[in-house]
Amino acid sequence: MGSMMRRPTIMDIARAAGVSKGAVSYALNGRPGVSAQTRERILATARDFGWSPSGPARALSSGGRTATIGLVTRRAGRLWGSHSSFALLVEGVQHTLASAGMDMIVHSDPDGEGSPRRRWETRGRVDGVILAEERMGRSPASSPAVPALVLGAAMEGNGTLSLPVDDRPTMNEVMHYLVALGHTSLAHVAGPADLAHAHARAKAFEQTARDLGHRAVVVHTDGSGEHSARATRRLLALPESPTALVYDNDVMAVGGLAVAEEMGVAVPSELSIVAWDDSLLCRLVRPALTAVRRDIVGYGRRAATLLIGAVEGAPVAEEMLPGGELVPRESSGPLRLPR
C-alpha cells in the first residue's frame, strides 16, 4: 500500500514489466537496446503506473536530453479547438514521439516573436522544436543545441530544417475542376497573408487563374470562421461577384456557406464552394462540402521523425510533403443560374 502512495520508480516499472532496470531506462528515454515489443510493454506499464520522469532527472540520465519536443503554432489559442487540421497535426507528432518515449509541449505564438522557443531553450526544457505556420520572410534562428524544423513552408538559412507542403498541383486540380463546371469568376478566401503556407497557396491560386485566363481574387483573413464570413459577404455583394470560392480551411468554408444561405445565393447552382483540408465538419453540413483531403496526421509524424533524427545527430535530408486530393461533394456543381 505504501508503494502505491509514493511516486513510482524505474525499479517498480521493471518489476511489473518483468525486465531489467536498464531496459526500462532505455525504453523511457527512447534509446536503442531493447526490442520494439519490449519497449511497448515497458511504455504500457509506465502509463499504467502514471509515471513520468522529472525534466532535470531525465536530462541528467540521458546526457542532457529532456526527451521533449516543443511545438509552436502561430494559430491563436482560441482557434485550436475549432480547426481539425491542428488537432490532426498534434496527433501525428504525438504518436511518433510516444513511440520514441518522448513528450511534447505545445505553445501559441501568434505574433511570431519566438518567445516560447527562447524560453524553452534557455531553461533546457526541450531537445528540439517544430515550428508550424511560420511567418513570411522570417527565417528562425537555429540553435546548435536545439534543432528546429519548419513545417509547411520552405525556409532558407540559419541551419533550420524545412518540411514544406507542395499545394501547387492540388490547387491546379481544384481550379481546373471549377472551370470545367463553368466558373470563370473565382475567389480564394485565404488565411493570414504573412503566414508562409497561406501566401504560397494564394500564389498558386493566382498563377493557375492566370494560366487559365480567368479573373480571380484573393482575400486574406485571420483564418477564423467569423472573418471568413465577413469576407464572403463582401465578395458576394460585388456587382460581378465570384461564382466559385476556395477557402483555406473547413471552418472558413462553413462560415462562407452560412453567408451564402443568408444572402439567398444557391449552392451549388449559383455558387460552388471548396474547403481546404477535409474533415467531419465538411461531411456533416448541408450541402456537404467539396474539400481537399490531406494526410495531416502523416505530416505530423514525418516532422517528428525528421526532428528526432536531427536531435540524435543523424544526417537529415530535407524533403517536400505531397499536397492533397480533391473530394467532390454537394457544394460544387455546374453553374446553372447566372446572378
Side-chain angles (χ1 to χ4, degrees), residues 68-72 97 103-107 120 125-126:
T68 302
I69 294 297
L71 173 63
V72 180
L97 294 180
D103 297 323
M104 177 174 63
I105 307 173
V106 183
H107 206 293
W120 291 340
R125 299 272 318 269
V126 298

Side-chain angles (χ1 to χ4, degrees), residues 8-25 28 41-42 45-46 49:
T9 66
I10 287 180
M11 185 57 72
D12 294 327
I13 297 170
R15 289 196 191 100
V19 298
S20 69
K21 182 178 176 181
V24 174
S25 178
L28 295 181
R41 185 168 81 250
I42 293 169
T45 303
F49 271 94

Side-chain angles (χ1 to χ4, degrees), residues 50-227:
W51 184 89
S52 62
S54 67
R58 182 162 46 191
L60 287 171
S61 67
S62 57
R65 300 263 183 89
T66 65
T68 302
I69 294 297
L71 173 63
V72 180
T73 175
R74 300 292 179 242
R75 195 183 303 275
R78 64 184 173 83
L79 300 177
W80 287 7
S82 60
H83 290 271
S84 59
S85 59
F86 181 68
L88 293 173
L89 174 64
V90 170
E91 177 187 342
V93 173
Q94 182 63 45
H95 180 274
T96 299
L97 294 180
S99 299
M102 302 179 75
D103 297 323
M104 177 174 63
I105 307 173
V106 183
H107 206 293
S108 176
D109 184 22
D111 297 326
E113 298 302 324
S115 55
R117 182 183 175 193
R118 286 194 298 271
R119 188 163 58 250
W120 291 340
E121 293 176 358
T122 301
R123 299 176 182 175
R125 299 272 318 269
V126 298
D127 294 328
V129 179
I130 296 174
L131 301 168
E133 303 166 323
E134 194 56 40
R135 282 174 172 259
M136 279 292 301
R138 177 175 297 189
S139 185
S142 179
S143 166
V146 183
L149 180 144
V150 175
L151 176 60
M155 290 287 168
E156 298 180 359
N158 295 329
T160 301
L161 296 170
S162 293
L163 189 58
V165 179
D166 188 4
D167 281 327
R168 292 171 298 178
T170 310
M171 182 62 80
N172 189 280
E173 179 186 4
V174 169
M175 296 284 280
H176 276 81
Y177 167 72
L178 291 172
V179 169
L181 292 176
H183 300 280
T184 58
S185 179
L186 308 102
H188 178 39
V189 184
D194 62 346
L195 292 186
H197 78 278
H199 175 82
R201 197 176 294 162
K203 286 297 181 185
F205 176 86
E206 293 174 326
Q207 182 60 56
T208 304
R210 283 195 295 269
D211 293 343
L212 292 171
H214 294 305
R215 185 170 67 90
V217 176
V218 174
V219 178
H220 286 280
T221 71
D222 70 351
S224 69
E226 180 182 359
H227 280 218

